[in-house]
């Protein structure tokens, strides 16, 4: 489901707007980075501790800690995605599975994670590779 400003997006026809492919990955990973760690009782690894760095000086050790936290979150996101794929393969027909998961929806690896300081914020840029051999870039400001 497409989320805009924290709300589920509904189209002009009244149906929920779905998001897929690289946009799905961007939205899901952004939610993982923005949500405080531990807020999901079903998947306790969901979320990040990035909020603890808001207002902290952007010293090199803090930037490295942020990069480490982002790496942990991205690896957890990939692991959770792999778990969902395995569950869906077991519980869905082949046709249903292929409607839910395309090669553009599946992250295969982390290409890079960059953390840099701007004048007032810390900028995080995550580049991922998909099973379709495309690159997805997720940018987040802290």
């Amino acid at each position: 489901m497409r989320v805009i400003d924290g709300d589920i997006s509904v189209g002009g026809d009244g149906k929920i707007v779905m998001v897929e492919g690289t946009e799905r990955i961007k939205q899901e990973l952004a939610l993982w980075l923005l949500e405080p760690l531990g807020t999901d009782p079903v998947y306790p690894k969901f979320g990040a501790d990035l909020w603890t760095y808001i207002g902290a000086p952007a010293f090199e050790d803090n930037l490295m800690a942020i990069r480490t936290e982002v790496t942990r979150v991205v690896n957890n996101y990939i692991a959770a995605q792999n778990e969902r794929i395995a569950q869906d393969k077991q519980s869905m027909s082949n046709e249903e599975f292929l409607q839910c998961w395309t090669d553009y929806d599946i992250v295969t690896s982390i290409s890079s994670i960059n953390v840099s300081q701007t004048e007032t914020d810390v900028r995080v840029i995550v580049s991922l590779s998909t099973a379709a051999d495309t690159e997805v870039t997720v940018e987040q400001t802290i």
Side-chain angles (χ1 to χ4, degrees), residues 22 25-31 33 114 124-128 136-140:
T22 58
I25 294 169
K26 287 180 184 182
Q27 177 178 289
E28 287 179 349
L29 188 54
L31 292 172
L33 291 169
N114 295 302
V124 175
I125 301 173
V126 178
S127 295
L128 305 167
V136 179
T137 301
V138 178
E139 295 184 38
Q140 192 61 54

Side-chain angles (χ1 to χ4, degrees), residues 44-55:
K45 293 180 182 180
F46 174 77
D49 276 337
L50 295 175
W51 63 272
T52 61
Y53 295 98
I54 295 173

Side-chain angles (χ1 to χ4, degrees), residues 84-138:
R84 286 194 326 249
I85 290 168
Q87 290 169 354
D88 288 351
K89 279 184 179 178
Q90 297 252 331
S91 64
M92 296 178 168
S93 70
N94 231 14
E95 185 178 316
E96 290 171 319
F97 179 81
L98 293 174
Q99 288 176 349
C100 289
W101 295 98
T102 70
D103 286 348
Y104 293 95
D105 297 304
I106 301 170
V107 176
T108 55
S109 64
I110 301 171
S111 302
S112 66
I113 297 176
N114 295 302
V115 177
S116 60
Q117 179 183 355
T118 65
E119 287 182 26
T120 58
D121 301 311
V122 173
R123 185 174 178 204
V124 175
I125 301 173
V126 178
S127 295
L128 305 167
S129 296
T130 69
D133 206 24
T134 59
E135 287 290 315
V136 179
T137 301
V138 178

